[in-house]
Amino acid sequence: MAGHQVNSPMTGQVIEVSVEVGQSISAGDLLIVIESMKMENEIFSEVNGRIASIEVVEDQNVSEENLLMTIEI
Amino acid sequence: MPIDPNRETWKPGMPWEKALEDIEYITGLGREMGGVERIERQHSGGRYTVRERVEKMLDKGSFVEYGPMIGAAEYDDDGNLIEFSPGAYVMGLGEINGRPVAIGGDDFTISGGSPHNVRKHPIDFMQPLASQYGIPYIQLVEGVGHSAKSDEAKGHMGLPDGALWWRGIELLKKVPVAAGIMGSVAGAPAAFALMSHFTVMVKGQSQIFPSGPPVVKRAIGEDLDKEELGGYKMHVHESGQVDNVADSEEEAFEQIKQFISYLPNTTNDVAPRVETGDPPDRRPEELLNIIPPNRKRSYDPRKLIKLVVDNGEFFEMRRHWAGALITGFARLDGYSVGIIGSDPMFMAGAMDGWAAEKYAHFVDLCDAFNLPVVIFLDMPGFMLGSHSERKATMRRGVRALIASAEAEVPKIEFNVRKAYGVAADAAHSLGHPNGLNLRFGWPAGEWGGIPIEGGVAAAYRREIENAPDPEAHRSMIEDRLLKLRSPFRAAHKGDVVDLIDPRETRRLACRFVKLAQPMLEKLAQKPKRVVRP
């Protein structure tokens, strides 16, 4: 079992967490939306797997490279 | 077929037929490269030999080899050849889709591609030839550079004078140079590979670094394998040192062919027009609604670009690095163009230090090769915040501006949505002041020095703070300014040639590129700078 880390590509605010812990996901699924530079930046999964942990909540500010969630693959 | 030590070799006075037999015989020995075992090792590692690579890259039967007989040859006292090993480089002239090219590659089956006791280098033949004939130069690099063993053989370590590089740099001023990084490449071969207008590496098979893992471990104690240290994830995705990645050697060859197809033979020529069969007045219906009504939502910018260009064919360069900006080549009405676009799906399309560097490099490339530039701009400005500051975003952004202002190639710019601040000015300032520098707006356009939200908070700070209901006051000012954001207001002032139906984009772009051709002919006559990779 390997953990795939999803880090924030940019500094901004979490406006939507689109998955739950334990949920199975496929590459290309929407994971989270971060508002930054007045845009809703959708972060999609690069891998198939299961959400192992979610490290942020809605409305939270995040920095570039902050860990958002881990995916068990 | 190994060498036959008992074979009598042609000597002056012998018949010509015998000489021809020997030419065939020795050339045949050369074609055997480093021998069956080494060739096998190359193949079992999933790699082609340099001769197979050259064959796959070129039009069938078009290769004219230079120096097939160059090698270490040993003759006995009677003048018979008793030993022969070919030089570790294969090079010559060839054609790609009927266009001439100079091509060369390291032979990794011989001494691991390292400098051999025989002098056979592209610097002696291919580089001067490509430069003087004015034809593209392709290098297929698979060498590890200087070997400590050769120091021992020579008996001294030496202080090179640097002249090694001048010819390659001169070449960059004159003709397209493309490099395939075909294996583990280090030292001088790595530098030669990067001294190109286009570089591609093969996934899992190519690595590039100044020095490989053993040297790294000895120098700084870092223990990484070669793929971690210099593979495609490091250099195509993260560092941006190499432009593109290919899944196979064949795909790498295909990418090099495509790259060259968009460029002229020299910086003093204009790229050849290709009949693409795509009508210039085609109206892509999908363009009308490609920008979502919600200005916070993204869209697929590559889809937008592909809808506009001939047959949807877009050859992207540096796809995996500095993602906020898209750069690549396409054709419009058959004419080659450089395309620059924003990617709102990546960092909102904002320009950070990397994107600025990608922009400046691509503009320099188009300017050197007389390619008109088509821009699809959706840029909210410079990327903000501490992470972006660490990338020296604004200094590099200024470099992008300077590259634009220095470039003389004509430009057409479609302001498809956002264009804010100095970052967007980098795009606006491209195009010779007295030349073709056309700007059109789409109805989704929103342009300005600073976006309303942050702009109001900054400029009206005191007024807002002192208001009885600061939040309400701020909204009131924002609403007032919102009306000014309409692109119609900018159009009334002549900021754009016109506000257009997005479906007209292709027709206008094709028209522009055709009109630009005579100007390109004139620009091609000007002296060119080296494009620094």
Side-chain angles (χ1 to χ4, degrees), chain B residues 405-457:
Chain B
E406 280 203 318
E408 294 187 62
V409 281
K411 169 201 74 175
I412 188 167
E413 181 185 306
F414 294 97
N415 288 280
V416 304
R417 191 159 65 175
K418 294 173 188 171
Y420 283 109
V422 179
D425 275 353
H428 302 328
S429 64
L430 175 59
H432 198 251
N434 302 314
L436 276 163
N437 180 358
L438 302 179
R439 310 202 300 174
F440 291 89
W442 282 20
E446 48 166 290
W447 314 315
I450 189 167
I452 291 171
E453 299 87 339
V456 166

Short mmCIF file of all heavy atoms in Angstrom, two decimals, chain B residues 405-457:
data_model
loop_
_atom_site.label_atom_id
_atom_site.label_comp_id
_atom_site.label_asym_id
_atom_site.label_seq_id
_atom_site.Cartn_x
_atom_site.Cartn_y
_atom_site.Cartn_z
N ALA B 405 9.39 43.25 -26.30
CA ALA B 405 9.68 44.54 -26.91
C ALA B 405 10.81 44.45 -27.92
O ALA B 405 10.83 45.17 -28.91
CB ALA B 405 10.02 45.56 -25.81
N GLU B 406 11.76 43.55 -27.66
CA GLU B 406 12.87 43.39 -28.60
C GLU B 406 12.49 42.60 -29.83
O GLU B 406 13.08 42.76 -30.89
CB GLU B 406 14.05 42.68 -27.89
CG GLU B 406 14.87 43.62 -27.04
CD GLU B 406 16.27 43.09 -26.82
OE1 GLU B 406 16.43 41.88 -26.58
OE2 GLU B 406 17.21 43.89 -26.90
N ALA B 407 11.52 41.73 -29.68
CA ALA B 407 11.11 40.90 -30.82
C ALA B 407 10.49 41.77 -31.89
O ALA B 407 9.82 42.75 -31.60
CB ALA B 407 10.11 39.85 -30.35
N GLU B 408 10.75 41.40 -33.14
CA GLU B 408 10.19 42.19 -34.23
C GLU B 408 9.17 41.43 -35.05
O GLU B 408 8.65 41.94 -36.03
CB GLU B 408 11.34 42.68 -35.12
CG GLU B 408 12.24 43.66 -34.38
CD GLU B 408 13.28 44.27 -35.31
OE1 GLU B 408 12.90 44.94 -36.27
OE2 GLU B 408 14.48 44.02 -35.07
N VAL B 409 8.92 40.21 -34.65
CA VAL B 409 7.92 39.44 -35.41
C VAL B 409 6.53 40.00 -35.18
O VAL B 409 6.22 40.48 -34.10
CB VAL B 409 7.91 37.94 -35.04
CG1 VAL B 409 9.04 37.21 -35.72
CG2 VAL B 409 7.91 37.71 -33.55
N PRO B 410 5.69 39.94 -36.21
CA PRO B 410 4.33 40.42 -36.04
C PRO B 410 3.51 39.51 -35.12
O PRO B 410 3.82 38.34 -34.97
CB PRO B 410 3.76 40.39 -37.46
CG PRO B 410 4.65 39.52 -38.25
CD PRO B 410 5.97 39.49 -37.58
N LYS B 411 2.51 40.12 -34.52
CA LYS B 411 1.70 39.41 -33.53
C LYS B 411 0.22 39.71 -33.73
O LYS B 411 -0.16 40.82 -34.10
CB LYS B 411 2.09 39.86 -32.14
CG LYS B 411 1.15 39.38 -31.06
CD LYS B 411 1.24 40.22 -29.81
CE LYS B 411 0.59 41.58 -29.97
NZ LYS B 411 0.57 42.35 -28.72
N ILE B 412 -0.59 38.70 -33.46
CA ILE B 412 -2.03 38.95 -33.33
C ILE B 412 -2.45 38.40 -31.97
O ILE B 412 -2.03 37.31 -31.58
CB ILE B 412 -2.86 38.34 -34.48
CG1 ILE B 412 -4.32 38.79 -34.40
CG2 ILE B 412 -2.75 36.84 -34.53
CD1 ILE B 412 -5.12 38.49 -35.66
N GLU B 413 -3.23 39.19 -31.25
CA GLU B 413 -3.55 38.84 -29.87
C GLU B 413 -5.06 38.79 -29.72
O GLU B 413 -5.75 39.74 -30.10
CB GLU B 413 -2.94 39.95 -29.01
CG GLU B 413 -3.09 39.84 -27.53
CD GLU B 413 -2.52 41.11 -26.87
OE1 GLU B 413 -1.34 41.45 -27.12
OE2 GLU B 413 -3.27 41.76 -26.14
N PHE B 414 -5.54 37.69 -29.18
CA PHE B 414 -6.96 37.58 -28.88
C PHE B 414 -7.10 37.62 -27.36
O PHE B 414 -6.64 36.72 -26.66
CB PHE B 414 -7.55 36.29 -29.45
CG PHE B 414 -7.53 36.28 -30.95
CD1 PHE B 414 -6.51 35.65 -31.65
CD2 PHE B 414 -8.51 36.95 -31.68
CE1 PHE B 414 -6.46 35.67 -33.04
CE2 PHE B 414 -8.48 36.98 -33.08
CZ PHE B 414 -7.45 36.34 -33.75
N ASN B 415 -7.70 38.68 -26.87
CA ASN B 415 -7.91 38.82 -25.43
C ASN B 415 -9.21 38.12 -25.10
O ASN B 415 -10.27 38.72 -25.10
CB ASN B 415 -7.92 40.31 -25.05
CG ASN B 415 -6.53 40.89 -25.14
OD1 ASN B 415 -5.72 40.72 -24.24
ND2 ASN B 415 -6.22 41.52 -26.26
N VAL B 416 -9.09 36.82 -24.83
CA VAL B 416 -10.30 35.99 -24.72
C VAL B 416 -11.01 36.20 -23.39
O VAL B 416 -12.21 36.02 -23.29
CB VAL B 416 -10.00 34.49 -24.97
CG1 VAL B 416 -9.34 34.30 -26.33
CG2 VAL B 416 -9.14 33.90 -23.87
N ARG B 417 -10.27 36.55 -22.36
CA ARG B 417 -10.91 36.87 -21.08
C ARG B 417 -10.05 37.88 -20.32
O ARG B 417 -9.99 39.02 -20.71
CB ARG B 417 -11.20 35.60 -20.27
CG ARG B 417 -12.09 35.88 -19.09
CD ARG B 417 -12.82 34.68 -18.53
NE ARG B 417 -11.94 33.68 -17.95
CZ ARG B 417 -12.40 32.59 -17.33
NH1 ARG B 417 -13.70 32.39 -17.22
NH2 ARG B 417 -11.57 31.70 -16.84
N LYS B 418 -9.33 37.44 -19.27
CA LYS B 418 -8.65 38.42 -18.44
C LYS B 418 -7.33 38.91 -19.04
O LYS B 418 -6.62 38.13 -19.69
CB LYS B 418 -8.35 37.80 -17.07
CG LYS B 418 -9.60 37.49 -16.29
CD LYS B 418 -9.27 36.74 -15.02
CE LYS B 418 -10.57 36.27 -14.38
NZ LYS B 418 -10.34 35.36 -13.28
N ALA B 419 -7.04 40.16 -18.80
CA ALA B 419 -5.71 40.71 -19.11
C ALA B 419 -5.48 41.82 -18.10
O ALA B 419 -6.05 42.90 -18.22
CB ALA B 419 -5.66 41.25 -20.53
N TYR B 420 -4.69 41.50 -17.08
CA TYR B 420 -4.49 42.47 -16.00
C TYR B 420 -3.00 42.75 -15.76
O TYR B 420 -2.18 41.83 -15.74
CB TYR B 420 -5.10 41.94 -14.70
CG TYR B 420 -6.60 42.08 -14.64
CD1 TYR B 420 -7.42 40.96 -14.73
CD2 TYR B 420 -7.20 43.33 -14.50
CE1 TYR B 420 -8.80 41.07 -14.67
CE2 TYR B 420 -8.59 43.46 -14.45
CZ TYR B 420 -9.38 42.33 -14.53
OH TYR B 420 -10.74 42.45 -14.48
N GLY B 421 -2.70 43.99 -15.59
CA GLY B 421 -1.41 44.41 -15.04
C GLY B 421 -0.22 44.22 -15.95
O GLY B 421 -0.34 44.01 -17.16
N VAL B 422 0.94 44.29 -15.33
CA VAL B 422 2.21 44.25 -16.06
C VAL B 422 2.41 42.89 -16.75
O VAL B 422 2.97 42.81 -17.84
CB VAL B 422 3.38 44.53 -15.09
CG1 VAL B 422 4.71 44.48 -15.83
CG2 VAL B 422 3.22 45.89 -14.43
N ALA B 423 1.94 41.83 -16.10
CA ALA B 423 2.12 40.50 -16.68
C ALA B 423 1.46 40.43 -18.05
O ALA B 423 2.04 39.91 -19.02
CB ALA B 423 1.53 39.44 -15.75
N ALA B 424 0.25 40.96 -18.16
CA ALA B 424 -0.44 40.95 -19.45
C ALA B 424 0.25 41.88 -20.44
O ALA B 424 0.23 41.65 -21.65
CB ALA B 424 -1.91 41.35 -19.27
N ASP B 425 0.90 42.92 -19.91
CA ASP B 425 1.64 43.84 -20.79
C ASP B 425 2.75 43.13 -21.55
O ASP B 425 3.16 43.57 -22.63
CB ASP B 425 2.25 44.99 -19.98
CG ASP B 425 1.25 46.12 -19.77
OD1 ASP B 425 0.16 46.05 -20.36
OD2 ASP B 425 1.57 47.06 -19.03
N ALA B 426 3.28 42.05 -20.95
CA ALA B 426 4.32 41.29 -21.66
C ALA B 426 3.77 40.85 -23.01
O ALA B 426 4.45 40.94 -24.03
CB ALA B 426 4.77 40.09 -20.84
N ALA B 427 2.53 40.40 -23.00
CA ALA B 427 1.91 39.99 -24.27
C ALA B 427 1.60 41.21 -25.13
O ALA B 427 1.85 41.21 -26.34
CB ALA B 427 0.65 39.20 -23.98
N HIS B 428 1.08 42.26 -24.50
CA HIS B 428 0.70 43.45 -25.28
C HIS B 428 1.89 44.08 -25.98
O HIS B 428 1.74 44.67 -27.04
CB HIS B 428 0.05 44.51 -24.37
CG HIS B 428 -1.15 44.02 -23.63
ND1 HIS B 428 -2.01 43.08 -24.15
CD2 HIS B 428 -1.63 44.34 -22.41
CE1 HIS B 428 -2.98 42.85 -23.26
NE2 HIS B 428 -2.76 43.59 -22.21
N SER B 429 3.07 43.99 -25.34
CA SER B 429 4.20 44.73 -25.91
C SER B 429 4.91 43.96 -27.02
O SER B 429 5.87 44.45 -27.60
CB SER B 429 5.19 45.12 -24.81
OG SER B 429 5.76 43.97 -24.24
N LEU B 430 4.45 42.77 -27.32
CA LEU B 430 5.04 42.02 -28.42
C LEU B 430 4.52 42.54 -29.76
O LEU B 430 3.35 42.79 -29.94
CB LEU B 430 4.71 40.53 -28.29
CG LEU B 430 5.14 39.59 -29.41
CD1 LEU B 430 6.64 39.63 -29.62
CD2 LEU B 430 4.73 38.16 -29.09
N GLY B 431 5.44 42.70 -30.70
CA GLY B 431 5.05 43.21 -32.00
C GLY B 431 5.76 44.52 -32.25
O GLY B 431 5.79 45.39 -31.40
N HIS B 432 6.39 44.62 -33.39
CA HIS B 432 7.15 45.82 -33.69
C HIS B 432 6.24 47.05 -33.65
O HIS B 432 5.13 47.00 -34.16
CB HIS B 432 7.77 45.68 -35.08
CG HIS B 432 8.88 46.62 -35.32
ND1 HIS B 432 8.76 47.67 -36.17
CD2 HIS B 432 10.11 46.69 -34.79
CE1 HIS B 432 9.90 48.36 -36.16
NE2 HIS B 432 10.74 47.77 -35.35
N PRO B 433 6.69 48.12 -33.02
CA PRO B 433 5.81 49.29 -32.90
C PRO B 433 5.28 49.78 -34.24
O PRO B 433 4.15 50.28 -34.33
CB PRO B 433 6.72 50.35 -32.26
CG PRO B 433 7.82 49.60 -31.63
CD PRO B 433 7.97 48.31 -32.36
N ASN B 434 6.10 49.63 -35.28
CA ASN B 434 5.62 50.09 -36.58
C ASN B 434 5.14 48.94 -37.46
O ASN B 434 4.93 49.09 -38.65
CB ASN B 434 6.75 50.83 -37.31
CG ASN B 434 7.24 51.99 -36.48
OD1 ASN B 434 6.43 52.74 -35.96
ND2 ASN B 434 8.54 52.11 -36.32
N GLY B 435 5.01 47.81 -36.85
CA GLY B 435 4.65 46.65 -37.66
C GLY B 435 3.24 46.17 -37.36
O GLY B 435 2.41 46.93 -36.88
N LEU B 436 3.02 44.91 -37.64
CA LEU B 436 1.70 44.34 -37.41
C LEU B 436 1.59 43.95 -35.94
O LEU B 436 2.32 43.10 -35.46
CB LEU B 436 1.53 43.10 -38.27
CG LEU B 436 1.08 43.32 -39.70
CD1 LEU B 436 1.35 42.08 -40.52
CD2 LEU B 436 -0.39 43.66 -39.75
N ASN B 437 0.70 44.57 -35.25
CA ASN B 437 0.52 44.27 -33.85
C ASN B 437 -0.97 44.42 -33.58
O ASN B 437 -1.44 45.46 -33.16
CB ASN B 437 1.35 45.25 -33.01
CG ASN B 437 1.19 45.00 -31.53
OD1 ASN B 437 0.46 44.12 -31.09
ND2 ASN B 437 1.88 45.79 -30.72
N LEU B 438 -1.69 43.38 -33.93
CA LEU B 438 -3.15 43.48 -33.91
C LEU B 438 -3.74 42.86 -32.64
O LEU B 438 -3.28 41.82 -32.19
CB LEU B 438 -3.74 42.75 -35.12
CG LEU B 438 -3.27 43.24 -36.48
CD1 LEU B 438 -3.91 42.41 -37.58
CD2 LEU B 438 -3.60 44.71 -36.67
N ARG B 439 -4.74 43.55 -32.10
CA ARG B 439 -5.38 43.04 -30.88
C ARG B 439 -6.89 43.01 -31.06
O ARG B 439 -7.49 43.99 -31.47
CB ARG B 439 -5.04 43.94 -29.71
CG ARG B 439 -3.55 44.19 -29.61
CD ARG B 439 -3.15 44.59 -28.25
NE ARG B 439 -3.81 45.81 -27.81
CZ ARG B 439 -3.68 46.28 -26.58
NH1 ARG B 439 -2.98 45.61 -25.70
NH2 ARG B 439 -4.27 47.41 -26.23
N PHE B 440 -7.43 41.86 -30.73
CA PHE B 440 -8.88 41.73 -30.78
C PHE B 440 -9.38 41.32 -29.40
O PHE B 440 -8.63 40.74 -28.61
CB PHE B 440 -9.30 40.68 -31.81
CG PHE B 440 -9.04 41.12 -33.22
CD1 PHE B 440 -7.83 40.85 -33.84
CD2 PHE B 440 -10.00 41.81 -33.93
CE1 PHE B 440 -7.58 41.26 -35.14
CE2 PHE B 440 -9.76 42.23 -35.24
CZ PHE B 440 -8.55 41.96 -35.85
N GLY B 441 -10.63 41.63 -29.11
CA GLY B 441 -11.21 41.24 -27.84
C GLY B 441 -12.39 40.31 -28.05
O GLY B 441 -13.10 40.42 -29.05
N TRP B 442 -12.58 39.40 -27.13
CA TRP B 442 -13.79 38.57 -27.10
C TRP B 442 -14.76 39.22 -26.11
O TRP B 442 -14.33 39.96 -25.21
CB TRP B 442 -13.45 37.16 -26.63
CG TRP B 442 -12.82 36.27 -27.68
CD1 TRP B 442 -12.21 36.66 -28.82
CD2 TRP B 442 -12.76 34.84 -27.63
NE1 TRP B 442 -11.75 35.54 -29.51
CE2 TRP B 442 -12.08 34.41 -28.80
CE3 TRP B 442 -13.20 33.85 -26.74
CZ2 TRP B 442 -11.85 33.06 -29.09
CZ3 TRP B 442 -12.97 32.52 -27.02
CH2 TRP B 442 -12.30 32.13 -28.19
N PRO B 443 -16.05 38.91 -26.23
CA PRO B 443 -17.02 39.53 -25.31
C PRO B 443 -16.75 39.21 -23.84
O PRO B 443 -17.16 39.97 -22.97
CB PRO B 443 -18.36 38.94 -25.76
CG PRO B 443 -18.14 38.52 -27.18
CD PRO B 443 -16.70 38.10 -27.28
N ALA B 444 -16.07 38.10 -23.55
CA ALA B 444 -15.77 37.77 -22.15
C ALA B 444 -14.63 38.63 -21.60
O ALA B 444 -14.25 38.50 -20.44
CB ALA B 444 -15.39 36.29 -22.02
N GLY B 445 -14.08 39.51 -22.43
CA GLY B 445 -12.91 40.28 -22.04
C GLY B 445 -13.12 41.12 -20.79
O GLY B 445 -14.15 41.77 -20.63
N GLU B 446 -12.15 41.07 -19.91
CA GLU B 446 -12.11 42.00 -18.76
C GLU B 446 -10.66 42.38 -18.57
O GLU B 446 -9.81 41.54 -18.34
CB GLU B 446 -12.72 41.38 -17.50
CG GLU B 446 -12.25 39.98 -17.15
CD GLU B 446 -12.64 39.60 -15.74
OE1 GLU B 446 -12.07 40.18 -14.80
OE2 GLU B 446 -13.51 38.73 -15.58
N TRP B 447 -10.40 43.67 -18.73
CA TRP B 447 -9.03 44.13 -18.82
C TRP B 447 -8.80 45.31 -17.90
O TRP B 447 -9.70 46.09 -17.63
CB TRP B 447 -8.72 44.54 -20.28
CG TRP B 447 -9.21 43.52 -21.27
CD1 TRP B 447 -9.07 42.17 -21.18
CD2 TRP B 447 -9.97 43.75 -22.48
NE1 TRP B 447 -9.66 41.54 -22.27
CE2 TRP B 447 -10.21 42.48 -23.07
CE3 TRP B 447 -10.44 44.89 -23.12
CZ2 TRP B 447 -10.91 42.34 -24.28
CZ3 TRP B 447 -11.14 44.75 -24.33
CH2 TRP B 447 -11.37 43.49 -24.89
N GLY B 448 -7.56 45.45 -17.46
CA GLY B 448 -7.27 46.61 -16.64
C GLY B 448 -5.91 46.52 -15.98
O GLY B 448 -5.19 45.54 -16.14
N GLY B 449 -5.60 47.58 -15.22
CA GLY B 449 -4.32 47.63 -14.52
C GLY B 449 -4.34 46.74 -13.30
O GLY B 449 -3.35 46.14 -12.91
N ILE B 450 -5.51 46.64 -12.66
CA ILE B 450 -5.64 45.84 -11.44
C ILE B 450 -7.09 45.37 -11.36
O ILE B 450 -8.00 46.11 -11.71
CB ILE B 450 -5.22 46.67 -10.19
CG1 ILE B 450 -5.12 45.81 -8.94
CG2 ILE B 450 -6.15 47.86 -9.97
CD1 ILE B 450 -4.41 46.50 -7.77
N PRO B 451 -7.32 44.13 -10.93
CA PRO B 451 -8.70 43.65 -10.82
C PRO B 451 -9.49 44.47 -9.80
O PRO B 451 -8.91 45.00 -8.85
CB PRO B 451 -8.56 42.20 -10.37
CG PRO B 451 -7.15 41.82 -10.67
CD PRO B 451 -6.35 43.09 -10.59
N ILE B 452 -10.78 44.55 -10.00
CA ILE B 452 -11.63 45.41 -9.16
C ILE B 452 -11.51 45.05 -7.67
O ILE B 452 -11.30 45.92 -6.83
CB ILE B 452 -13.10 45.32 -9.61
CG1 ILE B 452 -13.25 45.99 -10.98
CG2 ILE B 452 -14.03 45.98 -8.59
CD1 ILE B 452 -14.59 45.79 -11.63
N GLU B 453 -11.61 43.76 -7.34
CA GLU B 453 -11.67 43.35 -5.93
C GLU B 453 -10.48 43.89 -5.13
O GLU B 453 -10.66 44.64 -4.16
CB GLU B 453 -11.73 41.82 -5.81
CG GLU B 453 -12.95 41.19 -6.46
CD GLU B 453 -12.76 40.87 -7.94
OE1 GLU B 453 -11.86 41.47 -8.57
OE2 GLU B 453 -13.50 40.02 -8.47
N GLY B 454 -9.27 43.51 -5.56
CA GLY B 454 -8.08 43.96 -4.84
C GLY B 454 -7.85 45.44 -5.05
O GLY B 454 -7.41 46.16 -4.14
N GLY B 455 -8.18 45.92 -6.22
CA GLY B 455 -7.94 47.32 -6.58
C GLY B 455 -8.74 48.25 -5.68
O GLY B 455 -8.21 49.24 -5.16
N VAL B 456 -9.99 47.92 -5.44
CA VAL B 456 -10.85 48.75 -4.59
C VAL B 456 -10.35 48.71 -3.15
O VAL B 456 -10.23 49.73 -2.48
CB VAL B 456 -12.33 48.30 -4.70
CG1 VAL B 456 -13.17 48.91 -3.59
CG2 VAL B 456 -12.89 48.67 -6.07
N ALA B 457 -10.03 47.49 -2.69
CA ALA B 457 -9.56 47.34 -1.31
C ALA B 457 -8.32 48.19 -1.06
O ALA B 457 -8.16 48.77 0.01
CB ALA B 457 -9.28 45.87 -1.01
#
